[in-house]
Amino acid sequence: MRSLLYIVILLTVTACSYSSPHPKVLDEAESMMQSNPSLALNKLNSVDVSEFRDSATMARWALLYSEAMVANRLSAPSDTIVNIAVDYYRQQNLTDQYQKASRLKELVLSSADADALATALYLQKEKEFFLYRERTRRQMYMFVAIFILLIAAGAVVWMRQRLKLQSLRNEALMAEASGFKSQIEASRSDVSRLEMKLHGLLDKRFSLIDSLCQTYYESQGTKSERKAIVDKVKSQIESARTDSFPEMEQAVNDCRDNILEKIKVSYPGIRHEDYMLLVFVASGLSTRTICLLLGESADVIYKRKSRLKSRLKESAEALNPDVMAIF
């Protein structure tokens, strides 16, 4: 593709930089057409028209050549050369030149004198014109072929770019799908872990009921019935305050997106008693239950909750929505 582009640029520069001496010769022949038509014809015959670079120069030469033939009272063996001027000026809508070429066509064919040398030179110029026409035709084909090649090369480059972009999009989609897959797997893992934790909490919940029911069953109808039940309840409360506290803390973090860990970071100076209150509140325990677990009255618990809420609102401002959801 790059080599083809260099070739096109080289051909264009070469064509544009070509400087032909022919227009100067044509100017000289035109200037002496009236004063010395014979010399003007000789100058026009000295030009190799097969080397002309454009049709305008060719048409001007043909017009001057026909005029020189008429001025020298020479008859042309054919109308090939004068027709070059007639056809060109008609196509270009150059009325004055076209009318002049049409008049010369009638005169050059009706001139009485026929010179063998002039005829031979005329036929030579015809051959040169045919060579010019063939060369321009080949050049046109070449430029058309180059143009088609450029279009084809551009289409190939465009298709390659599209395929490359599509490949990049596919890779991005694959990466995104892989990310989604990882997220789904992580979510499944979290769900499985939460299910296990919920099952564990469910088992403990019913184990507590089972333990209380067994105590009641064993002591019902006896004098120690009430005392046994109270002692059992007290032991369960103490267990919840000490042994079960880490499990409650972990359950809150699991269900509330590690809210307790975030509060510790935002409010590192929180007291242990307030932290226990926070865990119990976040666990959804009632005020009476919290009173039993912390050994405080309801009024004290209400006041502590209010103060703790205010402190957290100031210290953990970024977590306000989550913190407020606890209270």
Side-chain angles (χ1 to χ4, degrees), residues 182-199:
S182 300
Q183 292 179 4
I184 291 172
E185 291 177 352
S187 299
R188 287 178 178 174
S189 176
D190 292 340
V191 169
S192 299
R193 182 165 51 83
L194 289 175
E195 285 180 350
M196 292 177 61
K197 187 168 291 294
L198 288 174
H199 286 313

Side-chain angles (χ1 to χ4, degrees), residues 115-300:
D115 184 86
L117 179 59
T119 300
L121 291 173
Y122 185 94
L123 295 176
Q124 176 63 30
K125 293 303 164 187
E126 273 190 347
K127 292 180 181 179
E128 292 176 3
F129 166 69
F130 293 146
L131 290 174
Y132 161 82
R133 188 171 61 182
E134 183 63 26
R135 177 174 57 81
T136 54
R137 185 181 291 113
R138 287 198 303 268
Q139 288 178 345
M140 182 185 67
Y141 291 156
M142 181 184 67
F143 283 119
V144 169
I146 291 175
F147 181 72
I148 293 174
L149 285 175
L150 286 175
I151 292 177
V156 170
V157 171
W158 179 72
M159 287 298 298
R160 288 182 62 184
Q161 289 296 327
R162 279 184 59 87
L163 291 174
K164 186 176 180 180
L165 290 175
Q166 188 62 42
S167 177
L168 292 175
R169 291 194 192 100
N170 291 339
E171 291 177 0
L173 290 174
M174 291 296 293
E176 188 175 359
S178 178
F180 286 150
K181 182 179 179 182
S182 300
Q183 292 179 4
I184 291 172
E185 291 177 352
S187 299
R188 287 178 178 174
S189 176
D190 292 340
V191 169
S192 299
R193 182 165 51 83
L194 289 175
E195 285 180 350
M196 292 177 61
K197 187 168 291 294
L198 288 174
H199 286 313
L201 292 174
L202 187 64
D203 292 340
K204 288 183 179 180
R205 178 183 179 184
F206 286 113
S207 66
L208 175 60
I209 295 174
D210 183 64
S211 176
L212 292 175
C213 288
Q214 287 184 22
T215 302
Y216 177 74
Y217 180 81
E218 292 172 356
S219 60
Q220 66 176 339
T222 65
K223 295 181 179 180
S224 60
E225 174 182 353
R226 184 172 182 178
K227 182 177 183 302
I229 294 174
V230 171
D231 290 342
K232 186 64 176 178
V233 171
K234 285 183 177 180
S235 67
Q236 291 296 332
I237 292 173
E238 184 62 28
S239 175
R241 182 163 40 198
T242 56
D243 300 338
S244 300
F245 183 79
E247 296 180 6
M248 296 177 67
E249 182 182 14
Q250 185 62 44
V252 170
N253 279 323
D254 290 340
C255 296
R256 293 183 179 271
D257 193 23
N258 286 322
I259 184 63
L260 297 177
E261 295 297 328
K262 294 177 182 178
I263 290 175
K264 285 181 180 179
V265 174
S266 300
Y267 185 24
I270 187 171
R271 297 186 307 165
H272 179 68
E273 295 80 4
D274 290 337
Y275 183 72
M276 290 184 65
L277 173 61
L278 178 64
V279 172
F280 293 149
V281 172
S283 299
L285 300 180
S286 66
T287 302
R288 291 181 178 181
T289 302
I290 296 174
C291 289
L292 290 174
L293 291 174
L294 295 180
E296 301 281 359
S297 65
D299 291 339
V300 173

Side-chain angles (χ1 to χ4, degrees), residues 22 24-30 32-33 36-52 57-58 60-77 81 108 115-129:
H22 297 145
K24 183 178 180 181
V25 176
L26 298 183
D27 292 339
E28 293 175 354
E30 186 175 12
M32 62 180 64
M33 186 66 68
N36 195 346
S38 178
L39 183 57
L41 182 60
N42 290 337
K43 282 187 173 294
L44 294 171
N45 275 318
S46 67
V47 176
D48 186 354
V49 299
S50 65
E51 296 179 356
F52 284 167
T57 303
M58 175 62 76
R60 185 186 177 197
W61 173 86
L63 184 65
L64 291 173
Y65 193 85
S66 300
E67 185 178 359
M69 292 281 290
V70 172
N72 286 282
R73 303 181 63 82
L74 296 173
S75 176
I81 292 178
V108 77
D115 184 86
L117 179 59
T119 300
L121 291 173
Y122 185 94
L123 295 176
Q124 176 63 30
K125 293 303 164 187
E126 273 190 347
K127 292 180 181 179
E128 292 176 3
F129 166 69

